[in-house]
Amino acid sequence: MRQGDVLAEIGSALLFSETISVLLSTMRFERFELTTGQRLYSPNAMVRAIATMMLCVGFLQGFALVSHAKPRKVAVTFDYPPGSIVIVNSERRLYYMVGKGQALSYRVAVGTRRELWIGRTFVSNMRKNPHWTPVDGGPTVRGGIASNPLGKRAIYLDWSLLRIHGTPSRGSIGRAASNGCIRMFNEDVIDLYERVHVGAPVIAINKRSEGARFAEPRVSGKISAYSKLVKRK
């Protein structure tokens, strides 16, 4: 969704709330009072409270539109074939290549410093409303429920436990927060799911200047993004 479209939607939401406020404030009421204990609540006060709540709803709707907009087409410097997925760790962005030096850009959450990875892999499987089984052997969480950590869609990478998936933890998007998987807004992973295909190359790099590092069509597997750093004892 373009910035102009987002602003238009916000304006519509606010206009709706303001209209309700005006209509409610001009309505005529019988003169009576509702008494609860020693406090009095007049109809006029109730009208103002309802109008204020409606205005707040408008602001919240506008905020939701700003915090999550549809993926936008952007120019990229790395050159991978259409249908490829490129993850740039430092940007917390996933790019779906559409050709001619352009890609669709999605905000994502990447792995923590310990789990952050780079390399070249591929899409091995895709599932709607995936079940989730904890690696520690806990009970399986069925797919399709709001609390499922994999969200609405899961895109599996090679033969590992790595996935590109949705999440109920919307606040984690844009951060280094996962155990290596790439998290997306549920809206975004549903959109990506409809575009990607099994076998599509998936490349993860730390920054754009490394775009050509995994250009050779060979699976490297998961490489620690900080493999050159000396581990402290």
Side-chain angles (χ1 to χ4, degrees), residues 27 30-31 34 46 50 60 70 73 77 110 119 152 155 169 172-173 180-181 219 228-229:
M27 292 176 66
E30 298 288 339
R31 293 185 60 82
L34 302 177
M46 295 175 64
I50 294 172
L60 291 175
K70 290 183 178 180
K73 188 179 292 186
T77 55
V110 298
K152 299 296 184 181
I155 299 171
S169 303
S172 68
I173 302 300
C181 288
V219 174
K228 292 184 179 180
L229 297 181

Side-chain angles (χ1 to χ4, degrees), residues 10-209:
I10 295 174
S12 297
L14 293 178
L15 180 61
F16 172 76
S17 298
E18 188 63 26
T19 301
I20 294 297
S21 175
V22 172
L23 289 175
L24 288 174
S25 64
T26 57
M27 292 176 66
R28 298 179 181 275
F29 289 85
E30 298 288 339
R31 293 185 60 82
F32 66 91
E33 292 181 340
L34 302 177
T35 306
T36 304
Q38 296 181 352
R39 301 185 66 181
L40 298 177
Y41 297 88
S42 69
N44 288 337
M46 295 175 64
V47 169
R48 288 194 297 270
I50 294 172
T52 300
M53 286 189 292
M54 293 299 297
L55 190 59
C56 289
V57 169
F59 276 113
L60 291 175
Q61 289 174 339
F63 178 78
L65 287 166
V66 171
S67 62
H68 175 264
K70 290 183 178 180
R72 56 194 179 91
K73 188 179 292 186
V74 299
V76 292
T77 55
F78 31 81
D79 185 21
Y80 288 96
S84 301
I85 293 173
V86 181
I87 300 152
V88 183
N89 291 327
S90 62
E91 298 179 11
R92 313 292 194 259
R93 290 276 176 180
L94 180 152
Y95 296 94
Y96 178 77
M97 302 297 295
V98 295
K100 298 182 180 180
Q102 294 188 316
L104 295 178
S105 174
Y106 303 86
R107 291 179 62 205
V108 298
V110 298
T112 62
R113 185 178 179 87
R114 181 183 295 274
E115 301 294 344
L116 194 65
W117 61 278
I118 57 175
R120 180 169 181 139
T121 181
F122 62 94
V123 174
S124 61
N125 196 7
M126 301 166 61
R127 291 182 184 174
K128 295 182 179 181
N129 297 320
H131 296 299
W132 179 71
T133 302
V135 294
D136 61 4
T140 296
V141 179
R142 65 183 179 86
I145 63 175
S147 61
N148 189 310
L150 297 184
K152 299 296 184 181
R153 301 288 187 272
I155 299 171
Y156 295 79
L157 307 182
D158 59 61
W159 304 277
S160 68
L161 294 177
L162 293 177
R163 290 161 290 220
I164 299 170
H165 62 80
T167 180
S169 303
R170 298 180 68 85
S172 68
I173 302 300
R175 298 169 49 201
S178 77
N179 290 323
C181 288
I182 306 300
R183 297 180 188 172
M184 304 180 70
F185 287 119
N186 280 322
E187 303 94 312
D188 283 347
V189 76
I190 290 173
D191 182 87
L192 181 64
Y193 186 95
E194 297 301 322
R195 301 177 189 274
V196 77
H197 61 275
V198 172
V202 179
I203 297 93
I205 53 179
N206 280 330
K207 50 188 178 182
R208 289 200 185 199
S209 60

